[in-house]
Amino acid sequence: METMKLRQLTDIEIEQLKMQGNLANDWHQITIGNNIDLATIRNNMFFGSVAIGNMNGNLLHDGALHLPEGIYNSMLSNCTIGDCCAIHNVRMLSGYSIGNNTMLFNIGEMVAGGEPQWLEPMNECGGRRILPYPGMTIADAYLWAKYRDHSNMVDQMEAMARHWLSTAEGSMGQVGDHTVVKNCQAIRNVAILSAKEAPSKIEDCVTLADGVVGFGCHLCYGCTATRFVLGENVKLEYGARLNDTVVGDNSTIARCEVGNNIIFPAHEQHHNNSFLIAATVMGQSNVAAGCTIGSNHNGRTADNELVAGRGFWPGLCTSLKHSSAFASYTLLAKGNYPAELSITLPFSLVSNNEAKNRLEVMPAYWWMYNMFALNRNITKFAKRDKRHFKRQHIVFTPFAPDTAEEIINGRMLLKYWVEQAYYQNEGKEPIEVLGYGLEKGKRKTIIAKWAKGYKAYEEMLIYYAMGALTEEGANTSLPCPDFAHGQREREWVNLGGQLVPQSEIDQLIREIESGDMADLESLHKRYDQWWEQYPQWCRKHAYQVLCMLNEVTTIDESRWQQLLQRYATIRQYVADQVRITREKDNANPFRQMTYRNDAEMKAVIG
């Protein structure tokens, strides 16, 4: 748009436009490209300053819809239109900069301008509010909303956002190249990022206000969003209602209500009646039909929150109370959970046993009984990553430094709870082991299959650490002993999908507060630098985890060979369990009964 060459209309051109049914309050404020065919501009009203790029009448198409380049039957006010656009039947287009090769068709109102609107994620009382801007990553949103105790950083983040919003590239009234917007009711003060490599598409009764649509997004079929940020390759569809929410890349939200959240990448919520309010969901997650997450506040005001680690999966018709927190890869069985939860055991299955009036938690459930799904998670999120620009860095594997530290903490809790149970049973093997601090209230929390869970956690740590150090078996050489230097990083921050040591976050906050990092470009470069450092961070952490498990300071060749053998055994276990858990489904006679024979079943499901 900046390089588009424009000129004023001649008197003859003004008369031609009038004869073609066009009106303007001031023709001298209308500028055009040098190679425009004025026959492509018909039956329009122009107000204020309107700049129009080159139009030649060529056809643009989106599926079965074919439109000639030009502006037809529309009202434009203070707009800039790029080259080769097709704008048809737009009742009001005001304050927008429209990119090249863009289609706007049958739109009621598309207006931009005014003071940016605050977005209030994670908490309904507004204490974490942020300003959305084009190019905002999930990491930006989480950093700004989460670390509210650093008031100077919060002020600096606002200053950086306002400075960016004041530029043309940061304007909320922009539509990128190769965008398609059609059959929509209203779009107000929205930035739509789009490019030839990652076009965005908005269609069929969509209403948007005060937000950002990322590259390659698709919004359709009656969805509504206000005060929002969508990452790259996000789908909103089938009547989804979204407000005050940041949605991470590669996510789908449909048929549900979502408000006041930060949702990290690879989130799925596409069933009727699910309800997600005032939550931070850290990605690779799935919210089933009928889930009620956020409607039950256990307080006098709506200022509670829910935090769920990666892989959060509440089952059908699950109802949770605020405030609650869940370790990574928590699977919640169907149920109405009566009190707040703090599930600190990762990869666990949580059940509400109403008959016995108790909470039941099985640690390492995924590893022991759901290996096919766990193994599928390792690859499916990467395969579904259709982003072109990939500005938000994402760790897809379930086995990473953050989950490893949760597992280490889970092992310590299991050890303590088992010791307590032996003590209370006078040294005899306990009939049941109780967990503490996992649920508010006085009823019991039973730790199911604790011995198998403890063993599984050790196997998971070895699987993670050896996978990182051997590049999943491709390199079996003894790791560098330099990895043993320094303390193990025990706090890892999931920054919108990217894993970063807490110490690095603390240093970044200090730089923002001091003014050493004063713009968003520098902030995003720091994310890129961290991403380049992450593999080395991960290998060092993995080495130190192995040292901790083996109670040594360094790993010698003899111990390394033992670990390689153990790793090979665990990898074989993983392969076997993937096959066994999948075969359970395929061998189920109730699953087979809908097919005429094995050949039909194989043809349908593989």
Side-chain angles (χ1 to χ4, degrees):
M1 297 299 296
E2 295 179 359
T3 60
M4 188 168 66
K5 296 181 179 180
L6 299 170
R7 63 174 176 82
Q8 289 191 323
L9 294 164
T10 65
D11 291 341
I12 294 175
E13 290 170 332
I14 292 173
E15 289 303 315
Q16 178 184 348
L17 289 172
K18 288 180 178 178
M19 291 180 64
Q20 291 170 187
N22 297 290
L23 298 173
N25 69 327
D26 186 351
W27 287 105
H28 297 293
Q29 293 193 63
I30 311 301
T31 54
I32 59 173
N34 289 324
N35 299 311
I36 189 172
D37 180 357
L38 290 180
T40 63
I41 303 177
R42 295 179 178 273
N43 301 319
N44 304 294
M45 299 180 65
F46 300 105
F47 296 92
S49 174
V50 178
I52 305 171
N54 296 311
M55 313 280 186
N56 297 300
N58 297 322
L59 286 178
L60 300 182
H61 65 89
D62 176 61
L65 178 65
H66 291 72
L67 297 175
E69 294 175 12
I71 306 174
Y72 298 85
N73 307 310
S74 300
M75 180 185 296
L76 279 69
S77 173
N78 298 310
C79 294
T80 300
I81 311 300
D83 295 335
C84 306
C85 291
I87 299 177
H88 294 244
N89 304 331
V90 180
R91 295 181 183 86
M92 169 58 75
L93 179 64
S94 177
Y96 269 89
S97 174
I98 307 297
N100 303 320
N101 300 98
T102 288
M103 298 175 67
L104 305 181
F105 173 68
N106 198 22
I107 301 171
E109 178 183 342
M110 193 166 173
V111 178
E115 180 70 14
Q117 297 297 305
W118 289 93
L119 186 161
E120 299 180 356
M122 300 169 65
N123 194 301
E124 292 181 84
C125 289
R128 299 187 184 276
R129 67 177 193 166
I130 60 178
L131 279 175
Y133 52 81
M136 173 179 267
T137 66
I138 315 307
D140 296 342
Y142 184 70
L143 182 70
W144 189 350
K146 180 63 176 177
Y147 292 90
R148 304 303 287 193
D149 49 322
H150 294 274
S151 58
N152 289 339
M153 185 211 71
V154 172
D155 293 341
Q156 289 296 322
M157 291 291 288
E158 179 181 347
M160 287 191 284
R162 289 191 179 278
H163 175 72
W164 180 244
L165 286 166
S166 68
T167 66
E169 192 174 358
S171 167
M172 293 297 285
Q174 63 168 298
V175 176
D177 299 344
H178 298 273
T179 305
V180 177
V181 184
K182 62 182 183 181
N183 301 320
C184 292
Q185 299 174 0
I187 298 176
R188 302 185 183 94
N189 209 34
V190 174
I192 304 170
L193 307 185
S194 185
K196 184 177 182 179
E197 305 85 352
S200 291
K201 187 173 182 178
I202 302 171
E203 59 183 338
D204 297 330
C205 302
V206 171
T207 301
L208 305 176
D210 302 305
V212 178
V213 177
F215 289 99
C217 288
H218 189 190
L219 286 66
C220 58
Y221 307 137
C223 68
T224 300
T226 180
R227 300 181 302 278
F228 65 94
V229 174
L230 305 184
E232 192 174 349
N233 189 35
V234 172
K235 294 180 181 178
L236 291 187
E237 52 193 9
Y238 301 117
R241 301 184 304 282
L242 188 81
N243 70 276
D244 294 282
T245 292
V246 179
V247 182
D249 304 13
N250 301 326
S251 295
T252 299
I253 295 178
R255 306 180 184 89
C256 59
E257 182 177 347
V258 175
N260 303 91
N261 304 292
I262 291 184
I263 300 171
F264 288 16
H267 176 79
E268 294 289 327
Q269 187 173 352
H270 48 252
H271 298 288
N272 282 328
N273 305 321
S274 57
F275 184 82
L276 180 66
I277 303 296
T280 302
V281 182
M282 295 188 173
Q284 299 160 37
S285 42
N286 192 306
V287 176
C291 285
T292 305
I293 303 173
S295 64
N296 299 307
H297 288 278
N298 282 3
R300 292 171 180 81
T301 60
D303 58 358
N304 305 124
E305 301 176 5
L306 181 143
V307 179
R310 295 194 289 139
F312 182 57
W313 199 306
L316 292 168
C317 301
T318 298
S319 178
L320 298 174
K321 300 292 189 295
H322 275 33
S323 293
S324 290
F326 301 90
S328 298
Y329 287 88
T330 296
L331 177 62
L332 288 157
K334 175 183 178 180
N336 180 15
Y337 292 84
E340 299 94 323
L341 297 173
S342 177
I343 304 303
T344 48
L345 300 175
F347 299 92
S348 61
L349 171 65
V350 181
S351 304
N352 178 37
N353 191 329
E354 293 185 357
K356 296 183 179 181
N357 189 31
R358 68 189 193 186
L359 187 71
E360 298 175 351
V361 180
M362 186 187 301
Y365 166 82
W366 290 75
W367 183 263
M368 295 188 293
Y369 301 108
N370 203 17
M371 187 66 82
F372 176 81
L374 186 59
N375 189 73
R376 181 169 175 258
N377 283 346
I378 297 174
T379 57
K380 77 174 182 180
F381 295 119
K383 288 181 178 178
R384 293 177 181 178
D385 187 4
K386 305 301 183 184
R387 300 173 300 159
H388 178 78
F389 297 105
K390 299 185 179 180
R391 294 168 13 171
Q392 173 63 57
H393 304 300
I394 307 170
V395 173
F396 290 112
T397 175
F399 304 105
D402 62 331
T403 51
E405 288 298 327
E406 288 182 291
I407 291 171
I408 292 169
N409 181 65
R411 289 178 82 238
M412 290 190 296
L413 288 173
L414 288 178
K415 184 175 183 294
Y416 174 74
W417 293 333
V418 171
E419 288 174 349
Q420 289 290 102
Y422 269 95
Y423 175 77
Q424 293 171 5
N425 205 35
E426 297 180 348
K428 300 176 183 178
E429 183 170 337
I431 298 174
E432 60 183 20
V433 172
L434 302 182
Y436 299 94
L438 302 182
E439 182 184 53
K440 182 180 178 181
K442 297 181 179 179
R443 70 175 187 163
K444 290 182 178 180
T445 296
I446 301 298
I447 306 301
K449 302 193 177 181
W450 50 269
K452 290 183 178 180
Y454 189 84
K455 180 177 180 291
Y457 275 163
E458 181 181 2
E459 293 174 345
M460 294 166 78
L461 288 174
I462 294 172
Y463 187 73
Y464 149 70
M466 293 300 292
L469 291 170
T470 66
E471 299 174 5
E472 297 183 359
N475 176 16
T476 58
S477 59
L478 182 68
C480 175
D482 291 345
F483 287 150
H485 296 164
Q487 295 293 318
R488 189 179 86 242
E489 290 283 357
R490 302 190 180 192
E491 293 185 64
W492 291 80
V493 176
N494 184 345
L495 197 64
Q498 178 177 6
L499 301 180
V500 183
Q502 181 65 62
S503 57
E504 294 288 335
I505 299 290
D506 294 339
Q507 175 61 29
L508 173 65
I509 291 173
R510 287 192 292 269
E511 292 180 36
I512 294 174
E513 290 180 327
S514 67
D516 291 340
M517 183 165 292
D519 56 66
L520 295 171
E521 293 89 344
S522 299
L523 180 61
H524 294 166
K525 286 180 181 178
R526 178 62 56 82
Y527 299 157
D528 294 339
Q529 292 169 2
W530 284 342
W531 189 242
E532 292 175 1
Q533 293 175 270
Y534 174 72
Q536 193 73 354
W537 287 344
C538 192
R539 285 191 289 270
K540 181 175 182 178
H541 180 265
Y543 185 93
Q544 293 177 334
V545 166
L546 289 179
C547 289
M548 180 270 298
L549 286 174
N550 288 272
E551 299 180 338
V552 296
T553 55
T554 58
I555 298 172
D556 58 23
E557 182 64 37
S558 175
R559 193 176 299 274
W560 178 246
Q561 292 302 319
Q562 294 173 9
L563 286 167
L564 286 174
Q565 293 177 10
R566 182 84 185 276
Y567 181 47
T569 301
I570 294 173
R571 290 184 72 184
Q572 186 61 52
Y573 167 80
V574 170
D576 291 343
Q577 287 301 308
V578 167
R579 175 180 52 81
I580 290 169
T581 53
R582 183 57 171 166
E583 283 179 349
K584 286 180 181 178
D585 290 337
N586 292 337
N588 183 345
F590 287 87
R591 184 183 179 90
Q592 295 174 341
M593 67 185 180
T594 62
Y595 301 96
R596 294 169 23 256
N597 51 46
D598 289 343
E600 182 191 357
M601 182 174 176
K602 184 176 180 180
V604 173
I605 65 176

